Amino acid sequence: MSEEEFKAAVQEGNLKAAASIAQQLMKSPSLFEIAVIGESGSGKSSFVNAFRGLADDDIGAAKVGMVETTEWSIVYSHPEYSNVFLWDLPGIGTPNFQSVEHKRTDTYLSGYDFFLIVTATRFRKIHANLARKIQENAKKFYFVRSKVDQDLGAEKRKPNYSEARTLWQIRENCQAHLQKAGVNDPQVFLLSNWESNKYDFPLLKESLDKELRHAMLQKLLDISCWTLQEKKTAMQKTTWKPATLSGGPGAIPLPGLSLVADMAVLMDCMRDYCKDFGLNSDSLSALAEQVGKREEDLKAVIRSPLATEITIDLVLKLLEKCVGKGVTYLTYFAWSVPVVGSLFSGHVSFGTTVFMLDNFISDLAEDAQRVLVKALEGEEKKSKQHHQEINLSVMHEKKPQPIHLSWRQV
């Protein structure tokens, strides 16, 4: 399965196939680069090893030591995903971190998709400044408080020792310092590099897995958005054909309007458009079965009419909504397509019909994107449970026309 296959399925209006491909792609995220950053001695390299399931002395493990051992940024593969990499960066404040490459912070940060800011003690202003810079670059990050096993070992000598209470105090202290330094809602994970099955290590892996899958989902939704916009533009270039047919011998005058149209031609055309975008009942039923959702829930996000809801009355109301706008549109159309435009320059019918169909196609493109968003919603959480909710937004291009022809408003 590939992103090109996903794009082709969206282009064909096969939303079931698109969802199926997306589900497979989410199991193997595309290129994603994670920067592990922190002060020298914070346990960055040991963290990278523990995350990858390696001991510090294993072959292929990151070099660790009592002094700064990471002189340059070194990349390591993710233990589960072939396209995901962890970058062990030189320690904050070391000469290598302050080299020419690292002084241009914006350019430097843009090279990574996600950040893990590691410290072995409390988080300080230097960490908060880095976090704010990451946020300014529209990137995400987690704070990792390593070596909590050492803190717990020291606390065990005290009377009334409680591991849960001690961990809570460490977490509260970290979050308080970060918030005081201006970091909003910091996510802090407490862990030991020597016990990767304890404390917050499992939750960190689970949360990062969710971030990877979410990033893949967002990428696919971006692809579907642009694919649908391209499809919309291509289809709008052909609306003059059904507009011409609707004004042919079978056309009838519409009561109260200075135009004529063949309702049967327009209804068949609009129903075909619904099918082309995968918004007919059969396609939606197949999609619902593929993603394990109710068909009614998918239909609930659709704002344009389904194929079965396209009636003479609805088409008439949409045309009524477009009268006047069609004249302006026809002027542009006659200029851009002079051969066809000149044939109808004296008829409001043609411009109105083209304008209505163009708006209908635009609405369908947005609806197809909404349906895909709804269908794939939560896919990144199916294999891993997490406490946070995902907020998916629909990307859509604003139409240049001055009105929006939502069928529920006519």
Side-chain angles (χ1 to χ4, degrees):
M1 297 295 179
S2 67
E3 293 172 14
E4 284 301 315
E5 289 176 297
F6 173 79
K7 179 178 180 179
V10 174
Q11 176 66 37
E12 294 168 4
N14 191 341
L15 300 187
K16 176 186 176 181
S20 177
I21 295 169
Q23 289 170 326
Q24 293 300 315
L25 291 175
M26 300 253 316
K27 296 177 182 178
S28 181
S30 60
L31 181 63
F32 196 82
E33 307 202 63
I34 304 167
V36 182
I37 190 168
E39 294 176 282
S40 177
S42 62
K44 295 185 291 85
S45 298
S46 290
F47 165 78
V48 170
N49 291 336
F51 190 90
R52 299 173 65 219
L54 298 175
D56 288 343
D57 56 355
D58 284 346
I59 297 175
K63 188 187 300 183
V64 300
M66 297 298 293
V67 297
E68 174 63 23
T69 55
T70 307
E71 297 182 359
W72 307 103
S73 300
I74 304 175
V75 63
Y76 299 93
S77 60
H78 189 282
E80 297 179 24
Y81 304 118
S82 60
N83 292 325
V84 179
F85 301 94
L86 285 83
W87 286 84
D88 187 7
L89 273 55
I92 300 174
T94 63
N96 286 321
F97 186 83
Q98 295 173 341
S99 66
V100 175
E101 175 191 3
H102 298 85
K103 284 182 179 179
R104 299 183 64 185
T105 311
D106 289 340
T107 303
Y108 174 61
L109 295 179
S110 67
Y112 304 97
D113 301 296
F114 198 87
F115 294 82
L116 297 173
I117 304 176
V118 182
T119 183
T121 57
R122 67 180 178 85
F123 290 101
R124 301 185 294 109
K125 186 176 181 180
I126 190 172
H127 304 106
N129 289 340
L130 180 60
R132 287 199 300 271
K133 199 66 178 176
I134 292 172
Q135 287 179 323
E136 289 172 6
N137 281 265
K139 306 283 184 171
K140 297 187 68 175
F141 58 88
Y142 292 155
F143 287 107
V144 176
R145 171 66 159 79
S146 65
K147 304 182 181 181
V148 294
D149 52 319
Q150 296 180 12
D151 297 278
L152 293 173
E155 289 294 314
K156 283 181 180 179
R157 296 191 294 269
K158 298 180 180 180
N160 301 320
Y161 164 75
S162 167
E163 178 179 294
R165 183 174 64 249
T166 301
L167 291 173
W168 178 83
Q169 290 172 341
I170 294 173
R171 192 188 311 279
E172 286 292 302
N173 180 264
C174 290
Q175 292 177 334
H177 277 90
L178 291 168
Q179 289 172 338
K180 185 177 180 179
V183 180
N184 297 323
D185 193 27
Q187 295 189 66
V188 178
F189 294 85
L190 312 181
L191 52 86
S192 165
N193 291 333
W194 315 120
E195 300 175 282
S196 58
N197 62 334
K198 294 184 63 176
Y199 313 119
D200 288 344
F201 221 131
L203 179 61
L204 172 64
K205 291 182 177 180
E206 180 180 301
S207 301
L208 196 53
D209 183 82
K210 185 260 320 183
E211 296 288 353
L212 294 172
R213 293 166 63 83
H214 180 59
M216 186 71 232
L217 174 60
Q218 289 296 89
K219 183 178 182 180
L220 291 174
L221 291 177
D222 287 347
I223 291 173
S224 68
C225 177
W226 290 112
T227 301
L228 289 167
Q229 293 301 324
E230 292 172 355
K231 180 174 182 175
K232 176 196 78 172
T233 301
M235 290 180 67
Q236 286 176 333
K237 292 179 180 179
T238 67
T239 51
W240 63 270
K241 296 178 182 179
T244 303
L245 292 174
S246 72
I252 59 171
L254 301 182
L257 301 177
S258 57
L259 57 86
V260 294
D262 188 324
M263 292 290 107
V265 169
L266 292 181
M267 285 192 298
D268 288 343
C269 175
M270 293 168 71
R271 287 167 181 167
D272 286 341
Y273 288 159
C274 290
K275 186 176 181 180
D276 287 341
F277 279 98
L279 297 178
N280 57 317
S281 294
D282 290 344
S283 296
L284 291 171
S285 177
L287 174 61
E289 183 178 357
Q290 174 64 41
V291 298
K293 288 184 169 64
R294 298 192 313 159
E295 184 178 347
E296 292 76 10
D297 293 335
L298 299 181
K299 290 181 178 179
V301 302
I302 298 175
R303 299 179 184 177
S304 51
L306 297 173
T308 55
E309 297 169 332
I310 298 174
T311 62
I312 291 178
D313 184 58
L314 174 68
V315 176
L316 179 59
K317 288 180 179 179
L318 288 175
L319 288 170
E320 288 176 347
K321 191 84 171 181
C322 293
V323 171
K325 302 297 181 182
V327 177
T328 303
Y329 193 77
L330 180 59
T331 302
Y332 166 77
F333 190 87
W335 172 81
S336 60
V337 191
V339 175
V340 176
S342 62
L343 296 176
F344 295 91
S345 58
H347 299 281
V348 177
S349 305
F350 180 77
T352 300
T353 304
V354 170
F355 183 72
M356 185 271 286
L357 292 176
D358 279 6
N359 274 272
F360 185 67
I361 290 172
S362 188
D363 287 345
L364 290 176
E366 292 184 11
D367 281 336
Q369 178 73 359
R370 291 189 187 95
V371 168
L372 270 176
V373 170
K374 185 66 178 179
L376 297 175
E377 188 178 47
E379 282 296 321
E380 71 273 46
K381 297 187 289 184
K382 279 191 174 181
S383 65
K384 304 279 188 178
Q385 289 186 339
H386 193 264
H387 61 280
Q388 293 183 330
E389 292 294 327
I390 305 301
N391 180 25
L392 296 176
S393 60
V394 177
M395 296 180 59
H396 62 87
E397 177 185 64
K398 292 184 179 179
K399 297 188 291 292
Q401 290 88 346
I403 62 172
H404 182 82
L405 293 178
S406 173
W407 77 284
R408 304 186 190 280
Q409 298 175 349
V410 297

